[in-house]
Amino acid sequence: METKKELTCIGCPMGCSITVTMEDGEVKTVTGNTCGIGDKYARKEVTNPERTVCSTAIVSGGDLPRVSCKTKTDIPKSKIFEVMKEINEIKVEAPVNIGDVLLDNVAGTGVPVVATKDIKKVS
Amino acid sequence: MMNYDIVIVGGGPAGLAAAASARKAGIDKILILERDNRLGGILNQCIHNGFGLHTFKEELTGPEYAQRYIDQVLEDKIEYKLNTMVMDISKDRIVTAMNRTDGMFQIKAGAVILAMGCRERPIGALGTPGYRPAGIFSAGTAQRLVNMEGYMPGREVVILGSGDIGLIMARRMTLEGAKVKVVAEVMPYSGGLKRNIVQCLDDFGIPLKLSHTVIDVEGKEHISAVTIAEVGPDRKPIPGTEERYTCDTLLLSVGLIPENELSKGAGVEISRITNGPVVNESLETSIPGVFACGNVLHVHDLVDYVSEEATRAGENAAKFVEAGCRETTSGEDIKLIATDGVRYTVPSTINLGRMDKMLTVRFRVGAVYKNAAVSVYFNDERVMHNKKRIIAPGEMEQVILLKDKVAAYKDLKNITIKIEQD
């Protein structure tokens, strides 16, 4: 049986309205997207939705008490809160640089959590 | 008095991009004045991703996006002063500023670029009934507390207004363990980007109530509950639709206002629609040699467009300086007219002598239009008709004008941009 799903692409701020046509759990067509990101997002969203999680971690001895961080790539949407729990246990010391790995393999996803801000060490 | 070719007020995304492009255009003496203790502006607290897809073709968080421009400014050895407050800008481009190390000082600037950004509309501007206890924050204040300073404003949250920062904070507070009960929006449409409604509200089952507003705030010391109600087309509450939510936090995301006290002090003409300076094709204000870009000019949805706009402002300020701090014009200005659903345009005028090969005109509409078209008229003749599935106030629109076409059109006095429904 053919079913249609209406999605709003989150690939970029354009927010294209995408229609996915599915048959027996398989994606048949993707329309309404204006680029390849939309096609990829729509196919993933209807089968195995993923998100990047952005948060902060505790940092000591730096010019700010928190360093922003993110999962380096998307993680399964169903694991968002498990990922958050582990991020909230991270404690690092300044200095921190953008791209520094703060946590390997967060919540068993195989994805590292990396810093997204430079934190200078202050004495 | 110090002398600089270009003084840039504000070290956020607009100021940084303007500085980098002015340097690229060959300007030597550039100074950025920033009131915060680090460069990057509001991007430092926008830790979510989605920045830079247009500019860098990759998805960055706010701080990462800012760092690209900060690195450029450092590499170019562009001078900047942090913790520095600009007090005044005069018509003849003398900038008065102060900080703890230099005290009060003045700079004679060849050109000035206004890049002060915007600020949030506060609760006091809304006339919301009820008490004014602790626990009411603008969404951006909460964002700074959570993302930079490590404080949680509360655990049970109601959000008034569906601007992007409110949507982003709905998700952020949820991720940090708070319960966001509802987002109420007085308008029948959201003020934020569609993608943010999907990934910040829908993902977490947070209800968005359109045509709803807060009609009561309870709690004398600290907020304890709010009542929201549906509003009619007149935006007045409809009796019988009231719903009470217990909460310890009310976040407001009810609009951004360009921060133009300095511009007004200098005598720059301000648009009543955008609350930003009226500018020509060079992003130059009514005062020659004073340019504006970013959210101080008009509030943007995307930092990528801020950077692009600021790059143009930097180039144009550089041209002004190179021409001996004089304007180069040819003939009469062409007026840009916003009508039929188009609320404003940036710029407001075009002088052919200074127009680039391609000019991006940005604007916002006043209502949601489905299956409508953005039309451009040269005098009374329609020259462009771009059909769109949806045009909404929350999303900035643009048209691109080509100099060849504008120059070739005889006796062109007005360019009109409007929404047409077929």
Side-chain angles (χ1 to χ4, degrees), chain A residues 49-109:
Chain A
E50 293 187 332
R51 297 286 184 270
T52 297
V53 176
C54 298
S55 188
T56 56
I58 296 172
V59 54
S60 55
D63 58 354
L64 281 172
R66 293 290 183 277
V67 56
S68 56
C69 60
K70 66 177 180 186
T71 54
K72 197 171 181 185
T73 57
D74 286 350
I75 53 106
K77 198 174 145 185
S78 57
K79 291 225 168 186
I80 289 177
F81 284 97
E82 268 178 77
V83 167
M84 274 304 295
K85 201 168 161 250
E86 292 196 7
I87 289 176
N88 281 340
E89 284 164 13
I90 300 173
K91 286 193 174 88
V92 291
E93 276 189 31
V96 183
N97 291 310
I98 288 180
D100 285 359
V101 174
L102 305 181
L103 180 65
D104 262 324
N105 185 18
V106 63
T109 56

Side-chain angles (χ1 to χ4, degrees), chain B residues 182-200:
Chain B
V182 66
V183 177
E185 167 60 56
V186 71
M187 302 304 284
Y189 50 83
S190 165
L193 297 170
K194 279 181 289 182
R195 74 189 297 246
N196 285 337
I197 293 172
V198 174
Q199 60 180 356
C200 297

